[in-house]
Amino acid sequence: MNHPALVAKQICKSFGSKLVLDKVNLRIEAGECVSLIGANGAGKTTLCETLQGFLLPDSGEVCIFGYSPRKQRSKVLPLLGVVLQDTVLYKRYTVLETLELFKSFYKDTPGFDDIMEKLQLDKVKHKYLMHLSGGQRQKVYLACALIHRPKLLFLDEPSTGLDPESRQVMWQMIQELKQLDCSVLLTTHYLEEAEYLADTLAIIDQGKILALGPLQDLVGRYAQYTTLSLVFDDHHRRGPAVMDEMIGKLLERKEVVKIKSQVRHRLEVYLQPSSASLGEVSVMLEALDMKPCSLQLRRGSLEDVYMHLTGKLPVVDEVPFFPKDQT
């Protein structure tokens, strides 16, 4: 198909007086995974349901492979696979019966033995859903969404309830689907999952897309500093004057952008990226005669980007902090 998998333009949605989606724009190409990241109530599920055509937007336009999900549903539905945040299926069916039922919804659907095998469901195919673990049922729901080989897959918190091994299995399958040009819109609370799977990250808060782009671009824009965490021993905890002296020395260094201090014996030092190697940090601390009992050097991450943009857990501006120009 020559059209993008999904294009959403200026989507707005309100429930009563509450604005839930505020002029959302989103585009997903063939074979691309876009991860939608946001806290509970940020608008993720409402956006997914609007894009799928289950909710009618108050304004804006949605196209899926060039079709309207509201006006051309017979064209759109065969192209979609959906794993809901809360899925409820009849639990007195076996896994095999459940998949046979979903297979019957579509024309010319191939067999699903390969899907069961990849999701490790072949050994439990004769078990009733009511006797499966939460993680096993989640894999059944994914199998149901994949049974007709969709071209656009919506995954709303798909890893909830999965053990680490099952999560890795699901991740591997999603990567394989991308290789087959299946597009994915993933909502997740697991930042590691988003970093691993997503080609593009969309951070949503209070119904607005605050940032959109590849991880490295977002880190470069919003979390470019490297964080040096320093913990000092009991000698440095005896009085604030000792720590104040060290903070003053650090702020004189050109490598240091600013410093955050949550407790007197622990410092978070924000460094310029160009001077953030472990060797350079060690030389700097030795020159200042500082001997922390532990140090950790951490480059900007998706967590830093998210916290910086949403303001829920500020990365840089948490009080008390010591900006570079403070004397």
Side-chain angles (χ1 to χ4, degrees):
M1 294 185 181
N2 296 324
H3 294 281
L6 183 144
V7 177
K9 297 179 180 179
Q10 298 289 294
I11 301 299
C12 293
K13 181 66 181 176
S14 297
F15 294 109
S17 61
K18 182 175 176 58
L19 181 62
V20 180
L21 298 176
D22 187 2
K23 298 179 181 178
V24 172
N25 295 298
L26 196 63
R27 182 185 178 100
I28 305 176
E29 302 292 346
E32 182 182 22
C33 178
V34 174
S35 182
L36 196 61
I37 304 167
N40 290 331
K44 301 189 302 298
T45 298
T46 299
L47 177 58
C48 286
E49 291 178 350
T50 303
L51 298 176
Q52 294 158 16
F54 293 116
L55 291 176
L56 182 65
D58 299 331
S59 61
E61 179 184 359
V62 179
C63 283
I64 293 177
F65 294 107
Y67 302 120
S68 166
R70 294 288 296 187
K71 299 176 181 178
Q72 298 168 290
R73 291 194 68 71
S74 62
K75 299 282 189 181
V76 170
L77 288 179
L79 302 173
L80 300 185
V82 179
V83 178
L84 301 174
Q85 189 173 18
D86 296 306
T87 304
V88 180
L89 297 180
Y90 186 60
K91 293 184 174 58
R92 293 187 182 274
Y93 278 172
T94 66
V95 172
L96 188 59
E97 289 170 337
T98 301
L99 295 180
E100 288 284 3
L101 175 64
F102 272 76
K103 182 177 183 294
S104 70
F105 296 158
Y106 304 94
K107 295 179 180 179
D108 303 322
T109 303
F112 47 77
D113 288 347
D114 58 331
I115 295 175
M116 284 201 302
E117 182 179 354
K118 287 180 179 179
L119 289 174
Q120 301 175 345
L121 293 172
D122 48 332
K123 296 180 180 179
V124 296
K125 63 182 179 181
H126 296 300
K127 282 191 175 184
Y128 293 106
L129 265 61
M130 62 189 294
H131 295 150
L132 299 181
S133 68
Q136 287 173 324
R137 282 200 295 270
Q138 190 72 357
K139 288 194 284 187
V140 173
Y141 304 151
L142 178 59
C144 291
L146 295 176
I147 205 162
H148 61 297
R149 277 55 172 185
K151 299 300 292 181
L152 175 58
L153 185 61
F154 288 86
L155 300 176
D156 197 357
E157 306 291 347
S159 294
T160 301
L162 294 183
D163 59 78
E165 181 181 357
S166 296
R167 187 174 296 134
Q168 288 291 334
V169 169
M170 180 176 286
W171 289 2
Q172 181 60 37
M173 191 159 192
I174 293 171
Q175 293 285 34
E176 291 176 8
L177 289 169
K178 289 168 57 181
Q179 295 299 318
L180 298 173
D181 279 343
C182 178
S183 306
V184 180
L185 179 59
L186 167 73
T187 72
T188 181
H189 287 297
Y190 299 113
L191 299 185
E192 179 188 5
E193 181 171 72
E195 288 182 335
Y196 183 78
L197 293 173
D199 304 292
T200 301
L201 298 155
I203 297 178
I204 185 170
D205 188 51
Q206 298 182 17
K208 292 184 178 182
I209 301 290
L210 302 182
L212 181 69
L215 176 60
Q216 289 305 113
D217 289 357
L218 297 184
V219 167
R221 272 186 277 164
Y222 302 109
Q224 68 270 39
Y225 303 132
T226 299
T227 304
L228 172 64
S229 299
L230 300 174
V231 180
F232 294 91
D233 59 19
D234 289 337
H235 169 73
H236 296 97
R237 301 185 198 184
R238 291 175 184 170
V242 177
M243 293 300 294
D244 289 342
E245 182 181 356
M246 285 195 294
I247 289 170
K249 289 180 179 179
L250 284 168
L251 287 172
E252 293 175 359
R253 303 286 300 196
K254 66 182 181 195
E255 306 96 325
V256 176
V257 178
K258 59 180 67 177
I259 300 172
K260 182 177 66 178
S261 176
Q262 292 179 316
V263 290
R264 297 307 303 183
H265 66 287
R266 184 186 299 271
L267 297 178
E268 298 287 318
V269 183
Y270 295 89
L271 302 172
Q272 297 287 357
S274 59
S275 57
S277 72
L278 190 58
E280 289 167 324
V281 166
S282 299
V283 169
M284 178 184 73
L285 294 176
E286 185 176 351
L288 297 174
D289 195 27
M290 293 184 184
K291 299 177 181 179
C293 57
S294 74
L295 65 86
Q296 182 182 39
L297 198 62
R298 182 172 58 82
R299 302 194 183 280
S301 65
L302 177 56
E303 181 180 359
D304 294 327
V305 172
Y306 175 76
M307 291 190 296
H308 175 75
L309 284 169
T310 63
K312 300 286 191 300
L313 294 170
V315 175
V316 175
D317 296 329
E318 186 170 331
V319 177
F321 76 99
F322 304 86
K324 185 70 176 179
D325 57 356
Q326 180 172 326
T327 57

